[in-house]
Amino acid sequence: MHERFYSQDAIAASLSTLSVDAQKRAAKDAAKKAAKATAAEERAAEKKASSKILIKRVERNKRKYVTAVSGLEAFGLDLKKVSKDFGKKFATGSSVTKMAGGTGEEIVVQGDLSDEIWEMLVEGEGYGVPEDNVDCVEDKKKKSAG
């Protein structure tokens, strides 16, 4: 009986079935992971297609404006790097600030540069943002009671 269970032939037979089962499981797991990765890529592409970049021109004083750009995170752009690029290209102050309500971050650029920023995001500088995903909005700041 000992020889039947522990002989070289019996051990080889049991090991070969084990490795086949392990190979089947590994192939099944690899297929699952590939399906998950494909689904994640599709979700990311769908999110990127549906997200919008909002360029707002906000009035500070009578003739002074700032331009706020929000929604760049969805396109995988580094806000600090883009802010620095805006500051260099337009020779103005540019900073990354948190938006009200804690909904994310936006880039605030001094001056009325909404058209120039739109052109920079859509047409050049390696940002590659689709034209349909960029909106320009004019926003009036409410006067505070003083």
Side-chain angles (χ1 to χ4, degrees):
M1 184 157 209
H2 185 274
E3 289 177 15
R4 189 174 67 177
F5 287 122
Y6 297 109
S7 68
Q8 290 295 331
D9 297 332
I11 291 174
S14 63
L15 282 178
S16 68
T17 59
L18 263 178
S19 63
V20 169
D21 289 342
Q23 288 174 351
K24 285 180 185 176
R25 269 188 266 131
K28 194 174 172 183
D29 289 346
K32 265 188 184 177
K33 285 182 182 179
K36 272 188 177 180
T38 308
E41 286 176 14
E42 288 174 4
R43 278 195 307 270
E46 187 178 310
K47 183 179 177 186
K48 190 174 184 180
S50 67
S51 60
K52 294 268 188 195
I53 293 178
L54 201 60
I55 301 174
K56 289 191 292 190
R57 185 180 93 164
V58 183
E59 187 177 345
R60 278 195 318 130
N61 294 333
K62 298 224 186 273
R63 291 169 46 215
K64 303 279 184 181
Y65 294 94
V66 294
T67 306
V69 184
S70 60
L72 291 169
E73 309 90 13
F75 293 90
L77 298 173
D78 182 26
L79 292 181
K80 294 219 182 233
K81 182 182 176 295
V82 175
S83 172
K84 192 158 188 148
D85 290 347
F86 286 166
K88 284 180 182 178
K89 174 142 177 110
F90 305 125
T92 62
S94 178
S95 64
V96 178
T97 59
K98 294 198 186 315
M99 288 196 293
T103 56
E105 293 181 324
E106 67 181 358
I107 297 176
V108 178
V109 184
Q110 292 179 359
D112 180 12
L113 299 167
S114 53
D115 295 333
E116 290 88 348
I117 289 175
W118 184 87
E119 286 176 10
M120 187 173 172
L121 289 174
V122 172
E123 296 171 359
E125 304 295 326
Y127 295 117
V129 178
E131 187 174 335
D132 299 337
N133 293 19
V134 182
D135 287 338
C136 289
V137 178
E138 185 171 335
D139 193 14
K140 298 255 184 201
K141 215 168 212 181
K142 297 177 181 98
K143 291 185 178 179
S144 59

